[in-house]
Amino acid sequence: MFIGVDLGGTNIRVGAVNSSGQVFHRLSLPTRVNLGLEEVIGRIVSTILSVIEQSEKEGHQIRGVGIGSAGIIDIRTGTVVSSPNFPEWSQVPLKLIMENKIPYPVFVDNDANAFAYGEKWVGVGKNVQSMVCITLGTGVGGAIILGGRLWHGFDGMAGEVGHMTVQPNGLRCNCGNYGCLESYASASSVVRRIKLAIQSGRTTIVMDQVNGDQDKITSTIVYQAALEGDPLAKEIMEETAVYLGIGIANLINLLNPELIVVGGGLANAWDMLYPITIAEVHRRAFASLAQTAQIRKASLGDDAGIIGAAGIASFSLKEVAYAI
Ligand SMILES: [Zn+2]
């Protein structure tokens, strides 16, 4: 068995994963980024050790640990170069730190890559050789699988589909660029754009639902308001779907993938987003490519990151063995 770790800005999720991709002994702990690097490391280690202990008690043999971490990861050294979710983290040698505290080999990759690996291994991407994953969460994450394998790019940082420019004069993104897909298709961008509209004088039932407190607006509340027919909320959700379609059309023309997988919190609004997104894709992408590319919602939920991280560890260990 391999231990899979989904390391996010909000939660540390850990599980033991068998060779069929089934998860056992799930354990989750709030990350508490505000407590500082050492404390967060301590929380990751104790959660992992606890899952290892439970698994070994049942006679399972642990062979390695995979960590899917938010941020830019140097996969060769297992270093978190930087991460918007961990502002304090800069060049943190996570693999090295973990291997000093855990008696198994540790592999670190980007959380979106882990998510994609999970969906490819046992989820909606099973049997698919080429796919692009897009996660619509606080940010927009992305991962590319080509020829059945993760495409890491020259520096190991490929797949940042959230930072493709989809609107040249658009909103400023966290990365510093303007008009990134992330500024239009992330859950936080839904909140940001409805706030901007409210500040410009637009009215919406969303404000009633948060008792006039804009800080309480979430993408789920906006989605619910759109379902209830609120014109502004509908407009924001439709805009989100259109920009997602623009991004996906670019990916389809560039890579001709079999499958595009959309996950993350905002994918809960998939039924609303999908028809608009698919129409935009067909409006922009080459007809034959758009015809063959399937666009589907992710299937593994919160487990995808754990399963994928464990899968990456298993795969990496084999690769290392072959290399030797
Ligand atoms: Zn960006």
Side-chain angles (χ1 to χ4, degrees):
M1 273 187 161
F2 283 82
I3 303 296
V5 182
D6 181 8
L7 174 57
T10 311
N11 288 303
I12 303 161
R13 291 200 187 90
V14 183
V17 181
N18 70 9
S19 56
S20 311
Q22 290 173 295
V23 187
F24 300 87
H25 306 302
R26 284 181 193 80
L27 203 56
S28 174
L29 204 65
T31 314
R32 302 256 169 88
V33 177
N34 57 319
L35 296 177
L37 175 63
E38 288 217 357
E39 177 66 25
V40 172
I41 295 285
R43 295 169 80 80
I44 301 167
V45 171
S46 67
T47 315
I48 292 173
L49 288 177
S50 166
V51 173
I52 289 176
E53 192 189 323
Q54 287 179 48
S55 309
E56 288 182 336
K57 223 183 262 174
E58 288 183 1
H60 297 298
Q61 197 192 346
I62 302 300
R63 302 194 44 223
V65 177
I67 302 176
S69 170
I72 294 172
I73 313 297
D74 183 337
I75 58 160
R76 285 162 293 203
T77 57
T79 301
V80 180
V81 177
S82 68
S83 175
N85 290 333
F86 309 114
E88 210 188 290
W89 292 30
S90 170
Q91 300 289 347
V92 174
L94 195 57
K95 175 183 167 72
L96 203 69
I97 295 171
M98 289 294 149
E99 285 183 340
N100 278 328
K101 297 175 191 283
I102 292 164
Y104 297 105
V106 176
F107 300 90
V108 184
D109 206 322
N110 172 270
D111 57 351
N113 283 343
F115 178 92
Y117 198 100
E119 290 289 347
K120 159 82 181 98
W121 184 15
V122 288
V124 70
K126 212 173 169 180
N127 305 322
V128 165
Q129 292 303 303
S130 58
M131 69 183 220
V132 181
C133 277
I134 307 174
T135 56
L136 312 177
T138 310
V140 171
I144 299 167
I145 286 179
L146 295 176
R149 295 175 64 149
L150 275 171
W151 176 257
H152 281 103
F154 182 63
D155 279 320
M157 295 165 193
E160 291 293 348
V161 300
H163 301 283
M164 299 190 297
T165 300
V166 291
Q167 172 57 268
N169 304 308
L171 294 168
R172 175 126 195 189
C173 179
N174 285 329
C175 74
N177 184 31
Y178 289 86
C180 288
L181 181 61
E182 180 163 307
S183 303
Y184 291 91
S186 63
S188 51
S189 82
V190 166
V191 175
R192 178 185 180 191
R193 283 175 293 127
I194 203 160
K195 279 185 185 174
L196 286 172
I198 292 165
Q199 282 153 20
S200 75
R202 297 284 303 273
T203 54
T204 163
I205 60 165
V206 165
M207 283 304 274
D208 305 332
Q209 276 150 9
V210 295
N211 297 319
D213 183 355
Q214 285 190 28
D215 290 340
K216 293 206 174 113
I217 299 175
T218 64
S219 61
T220 307
I221 292 174
V222 178
Y223 171 49
Q224 290 299 336
L227 283 176
E228 288 168 35
D230 179 72
L232 179 59
K234 272 174 75 178
E235 206 177 295
I236 299 285
M237 292 303 292
E238 282 166 16
E239 185 182 62
T240 303
V242 166
Y243 280 107
L244 181 61
I246 293 172
I248 291 176
N250 288 337
L251 293 168
I252 287 176
N253 278 354
L254 182 69
L255 297 170
N256 183 203
E258 287 172 74
L259 176 66
I260 304 272
V261 179
V262 180
L266 200 57
N268 291 331
W270 189 236
D271 289 347
M272 181 180 287
L273 299 174
Y274 179 74
I276 304 162
T277 297
I278 194 84
E280 194 64 25
V281 167
H282 283 282
R283 218 159 68 80
R284 292 180 183 273
F286 280 173
S288 58
L289 304 191
Q291 213 66 50
T292 52
Q294 289 189 59
I295 303 173
R296 295 175 66 184
K297 188 182 168 185
S299 62
L300 298 176
D302 285 345
D303 275 350
I306 294 174
I307 296 169
I312 286 173
S314 164
F315 181 79
S316 304
L317 205 60
K318 277 183 218 142
E319 290 275 292
V320 171
Y322 291 147
I324 294 165

